[in-house]
Amino acid sequence: MTSSWTVVRLLRDRDAGLFLAAVLVSGFGSSALWLVSGVWVKDLTGSDGLAALCTAALWTPTLLGPFLGTLADRVRRRPLLVRLNLALAVLLIPLWTVGSAGSVWILFTVLVLYGAAGVLGDAADSALVTAAVDPDLLGDFNGLRTTAREGMKLVAPLTGAALYTAYGGPGVAMLDAGTFVLAAALCALLRVREQRPRPATGNRRGRTAEGVRLLWSHHALRPLLRAGGATMCLASVGSSLNYAVVDALGHSPAWTGVMYAVQGAGSVAVGLVAGPALRRLGERRFAAFGIALTGAAVAARALPYDAVVLACSAATGLGLPCVLIAAHTAVQREIPAAALGRATATADTLMFTPNAAGLAAGAGLVELVDHRLLLAVLGGALLATAGSLAQRSAPRTDARSPSDASPA
């Protein structure tokens, strides 16, 4: 089955198309607000540190993934997504009152709640997808979802910047609120039959811990999640060196925007081929290929040539999402639906939390060690991670679902 045919097949499916449309519109608003929040705080306070904290405020709730995912398993997921999108639209209304340095705390409070709602929504969304999408096409759907999200990151910041210039931060907040209302309407149109959640058993701590146990005791998922966490940590250290790389090329710091745009284009492209690649290689080999490509690209960024650095940015965009797509697809296939919300959120915590550690480490190391040496070490570590994951891969048919082992 070719990539183009599976894309058409997914888009012709009513529920899959509605899901992707909801991802597009909500991702558009979220990407615009993500960019503008830091600029907004910088303009009001003049502080670079407070502006940088906006990203931290959005990502911190990822640490609560196991707990928030448990909430997603307690109720039916489609009504939860509808209500959650509407609640996010209401949550953004107080941002109209943010107009001075003294009111910036309102923005930070909204960003933390926004991030927590995002963790809960991703958990419910991932669990609901398994009921709405053909199991044979989960990899294709997750790839297209990556394409949609990364595509919005290329378009939305420009729109957000234009709106901010014309109407200020509140204008961007209202745009984001409108996208959440539209996403709620799209989710309400889904025709997904969900089983009523079983009554909760045991205490809350035990139910939360079950997500960790299900993932870490699974022989196929544990290596993927471990490699995913290591990859995200090492890649974030590498991204902390971007300004040093640009400086070595003799460009202004604004040239990093070109690198990010090229990387984003690579991430858009890989989503289109993820499904067929997963069927051919299996989750772990697909992830190992992506990590190896990322490692080679990170190491080669030490070469002081514009064309090489841009090619490496594209390669990183192609390689880095592979482990995330593979891990999410494997979790959806292997974990029972009743526990999929907490398992998905826990997987995200295990893979994305290392980002913070990597960014902090990179910020400190770049002041102490030559960036070229750091890039070579990071590239080698990523290649070692890919090699370890590939060596632990089961035989090809074992790493895939039964339908993948016997393609039509």
Side-chain angles (χ1 to χ4, degrees), residues 238-314:
S239 69
S240 298
L241 310 179
N242 283 346
Y243 291 107
V245 170
V246 169
D247 186 57
L249 294 174
H251 297 300
S252 69
W255 205 75
T256 56
V258 179
M259 295 169 58
Y260 285 129
V262 173
Q263 181 173 331
S267 297
V268 169
V270 75
L272 298 175
V273 300
L278 281 167
R279 278 188 288 278
R280 184 174 183 84
L281 301 173
E283 282 91 356
R284 280 196 271 181
R285 285 188 174 88
F286 177 64
F289 169 79
I291 297 169
L293 181 60
T294 303
V298 167
R301 285 169 59 206
L303 299 174
Y305 304 104
D306 289 5
V308 172
V309 170
L310 291 178
C312 290
S313 295

Side-chain angles (χ1 to χ4, degrees), residues 2-384:
T2 65
S3 174
S4 60
W5 168 242
T6 53
V7 169
V8 171
R9 182 179 169 188
L10 272 172
L11 294 180
R12 289 178 62 184
D13 182 273
R14 183 180 183 277
D15 286 333
L18 287 171
F19 256 120
L20 289 172
V23 169
L24 276 171
V25 297
S26 63
F28 182 87
S30 296
S31 295
L33 185 66
W34 170 77
L35 169 73
V36 164
S37 61
V39 178
W40 195 356
V41 170
K42 170 68 174 177
D43 285 345
L44 292 176
T45 67
S47 171
D48 290 327
L50 287 176
L53 280 178
C54 290
T55 301
L58 284 167
W59 279 98
T60 297
T62 305
L63 295 169
L64 301 176
F67 170 74
L68 294 172
T70 302
L71 300 179
D73 289 332
R74 295 290 307 277
V75 297
R76 283 185 287 190
R77 280 72 177 247
R78 187 183 69 86
L80 173 61
L81 285 172
V82 172
R83 293 165 185 161
L84 195 59
N85 278 295
L86 292 175
L88 279 165
V90 174
L91 174 68
L92 292 167
I93 293 175
L95 294 185
W96 275 98
T97 65
V98 178
S100 65
S103 59
V104 164
W105 67 270
I106 298 174
L107 175 57
F108 280 112
T109 301
V110 168
L111 290 177
V112 171
L113 294 174
Y114 192 106
V119 174
L120 178 58
D122 284 346
D125 180 87
S126 182
L128 188 60
V129 162
T130 61
V133 176
D134 186 332
D136 291 345
L137 298 179
L138 281 175
D140 301 89
F141 180 87
N142 289 328
L144 284 179
R145 180 160 50 183
T146 297
T147 293
R149 286 178 171 172
E150 296 300 323
M152 289 303 97
K153 290 179 183 179
L154 295 176
V155 177
L158 295 177
T159 305
L163 269 177
Y164 181 78
T165 301
Y167 303 105
V172 181
M174 291 307 101
L175 167 69
D176 198 10
T179 63
F180 280 122
V181 172
L182 181 54
L186 291 169
C187 290
L189 293 173
L190 291 170
R191 297 173 181 169
V192 181
R193 292 186 177 181
E194 296 184 78
Q195 295 181 349
R196 187 178 296 276
R198 291 176 296 181
T201 58
N203 58 40
R204 181 176 298 177
R205 180 178 298 179
R207 293 193 300 272
T208 300
E210 185 180 3
V212 178
R213 181 185 60 79
L214 285 170
L215 294 175
W216 217 244
S217 63
H218 198 291
H219 73 281
L221 297 178
R222 185 172 62 251
L224 264 176
L225 297 174
R226 187 183 294 153
T231 299
M232 298 307 292
C233 181
L234 293 168
S236 62
V237 175
S239 69
S240 298
L241 310 179
N242 283 346
Y243 291 107
V245 170
V246 169
D247 186 57
L249 294 174
H251 297 300
S252 69
W255 205 75
T256 56
V258 179
M259 295 169 58
Y260 285 129
V262 173
Q263 181 173 331
S267 297
V268 169
V270 75
L272 298 175
V273 300
L278 281 167
R279 278 188 288 278
R280 184 174 183 84
L281 301 173
E283 282 91 356
R284 280 196 271 181
R285 285 188 174 88
F286 177 64
F289 169 79
I291 297 169
L293 181 60
T294 303
V298 167
R301 285 169 59 206
L303 299 174
Y305 304 104
D306 289 5
V308 172
V309 170
L310 291 178
C312 290
S313 295
T316 300
L318 286 168
L320 193 58
C322 292
V323 66
L324 302 177
I325 295 171
H328 283 133
T329 303
V331 169
Q332 288 171 329
R333 285 177 174 166
E334 300 294 338
I335 299 299
L340 193 49
R342 76 199 81 167
T344 297
T346 301
D348 284 343
T349 297
L350 293 173
M351 290 190 292
F352 290 125
T353 299
N355 265 339
L359 289 170
L365 288 171
V366 73
E367 301 293 338
L368 303 174
V369 184
D370 187 281
H371 76 278
R372 292 166 295 183
L373 175 59
L374 284 175
L375 289 170
V377 171
L378 291 170
L382 284 164
L383 290 171

